[in-house]
Amino acid sequence: MEKLNVFVVSDSVGETGEQVVKAAVTQFRPNFENTVIRKFPHINNIDHIEKIVELAKIQKAIIIFTLVEEKMRKKMMELCNQSGIVTFDLLGPMIRLFEDQTNQRPLEEPGLVHKLDDEYFKKIEAVEFAVKYDDGRDPRGILLADVVLVGVSRTSKTPLSQYLAHKRYKVANVPIVPEIDPPEELYQVDRKKCFGLVISPEKLNVIRKERLKALGLSDDATYAKQSRIEAELNHFQKIIEQLGCDVIDVTNKAVEETANVIIHKIEQGK
């Protein structure tokens, strides 16, 4: 079996080219027998291309490349043709197709897809974190979080956690209930990361009554009584004074507004 030598040349990390090459090679050599695939990532100047072409000529290699800059693609084709090297441009034809269809010039910026991937995975990680450490279910998350939200029930802790997670902040939230002592971790967290959420008793009364109705329960339960709400808010105030963290009044704020206040404070504190 003749040896197959393939160079994968990229101006980014080279994963796209490598995966396409492997997908094609396995149709002929499922176990990559007598096959060498060598990756050349972050190739960003003509000198690099010249040296790779020289090496490919010596090793009788095929060059598969993913280069977003037109001048780099042209130079690669030119040098390969001059040296009699078999080559294939993976991205060029597709870039030209989209250029024709959109009447736009490509950015020609290497690695954009990986930047998007990084942002995507950070968001997913933050969302999973917010779910795992929602409503104080695991206090260990408090010390791992970028943001810690503290408040009585129905102060938008969970939707706020999810909104911030989509901004790639890892958020843990802790409910404050008079009958239950806050976790010790709450007193150990950096005060700049901790935010108390307060709301007017009247507004909270309305919200809790609506919540009870949605659950098919009577709206005169203790949970929605004014006396209970005031007791919870008084207890919350005592905890917040111990923590010494910022307090945000969410009475008439949308989740987005509260999130923007928190993001601004967090970024200022960095």
Side-chain angles (χ1 to χ4, degrees):
M1 182 183 291
E2 186 178 350
K3 183 178 181 180
L4 182 60
N5 204 4
V6 184
F7 287 3
V8 179
V9 182
S10 174
D11 46 22
S12 184
V13 294
E15 288 181 3
T16 301
E18 184 180 35
Q19 290 304 314
V20 171
V21 167
K22 285 181 176 179
V25 169
T26 52
Q27 295 300 311
F28 304 90
R29 302 179 180 187
N31 298 312
F32 297 100
E33 53 269 34
N34 209 25
T35 299
V36 176
I37 299 173
R38 185 175 177 186
K39 191 165 63 172
F40 294 82
H42 306 296
I43 301 304
N44 52 25
N45 63 58
I46 301 300
D47 288 342
H48 290 161
I49 289 178
E50 290 174 345
K51 289 174 182 176
I52 290 168
V53 171
E54 287 175 13
L55 186 61
K57 187 173 183 180
I58 294 169
Q59 297 187 9
K60 298 180 180 178
I62 297 169
I63 293 181
I64 308 296
F65 61 93
T66 56
L67 301 169
V68 297
E69 287 190 68
E70 186 177 6
K71 67 176 183 179
M72 297 283 280
R73 295 198 302 271
K74 286 183 175 179
K75 191 63 179 180
M76 177 67 85
M77 293 300 296
E78 177 189 326
L79 291 174
C80 285
N81 288 336
Q82 289 174 359
S83 301
I85 295 170
V86 176
T87 187
F88 188 81
D89 178 4
L90 273 179
L91 281 184
M94 193 174 296
I95 288 175
R96 287 190 291 272
L97 171 66
F98 289 132
E99 186 176 1
D100 291 341
Q101 291 297 309
T102 63
N103 292 317
Q104 292 176 277
R105 286 288 300 159
L107 296 173
E108 296 194 344
E109 183 179 338
L112 281 178
V113 68
H114 295 287
K115 290 179 184 177
L116 291 172
D117 284 348
D118 288 344
E119 292 302 302
Y120 172 77
F121 286 117
K122 284 179 184 177
K123 183 189 293 186
I124 294 301
E125 185 180 359
V127 170
E128 290 176 346
F129 186 97
V131 171
K132 184 176 182 179
Y133 299 110
D134 181 45
D135 209 29
R137 64 183 62 173
D138 186 346
R140 292 175 297 180
I142 294 171
L143 298 178
L144 301 173
D146 300 318
V147 178
V148 178
L149 304 177
V150 183
V152 301
S153 175
R154 311 314 295 175
T155 49
S156 299
K157 295 186 300 300
T158 296
L160 184 55
S161 295
Q162 287 295 322
Y163 185 91
L164 288 168
H166 279 82
K167 299 293 183 181
R168 295 173 295 284
Y169 291 93
K170 293 179 180 177
V171 186
N173 72 71
V174 182
I176 298 299
V177 183
E179 294 78 14
I180 302 173
D181 291 333
E184 286 299 319
E185 289 85 352
L186 189 57
Y187 296 98
Q188 300 167 19
V189 74
D190 183 346
R191 297 296 169 258
K192 293 179 181 178
K193 295 181 179 181
C194 186
F195 297 89
L197 306 179
V198 71
I199 189 171
S200 75
E202 296 76 20
K203 180 74 171 180
L204 188 54
N205 177 256
V206 172
I207 292 172
R208 288 190 175 184
K209 283 185 175 181
E210 289 302 317
R211 177 59 176 166
L212 288 170
K213 288 178 183 177
L215 294 172
L217 302 172
S218 171
D219 65 1
D220 63 353
T222 302
Y223 177 71
K225 286 187 181 297
Q226 199 73 22
S227 57
R228 171 65 186 187
I229 288 171
E230 289 175 359
E232 287 188 32
L233 291 175
N234 288 335
H235 179 67
F236 164 82
Q237 190 59 44
K238 291 176 184 176
I239 298 298
I240 289 299
E241 287 172 1
Q242 294 172 20
L243 295 175
C245 64
D246 284 335
V247 177
I248 302 172
D249 190 338
V250 300
T251 302
N252 295 309
K253 280 188 174 69
V255 167
E256 295 87 343
E257 292 179 88
T258 307
N260 288 337
V261 172
I262 291 172
I263 291 169
H264 179 69
K265 288 181 178 290
I266 288 289
E267 295 304 316
Q268 269 191 328
K270 285 184 178 179

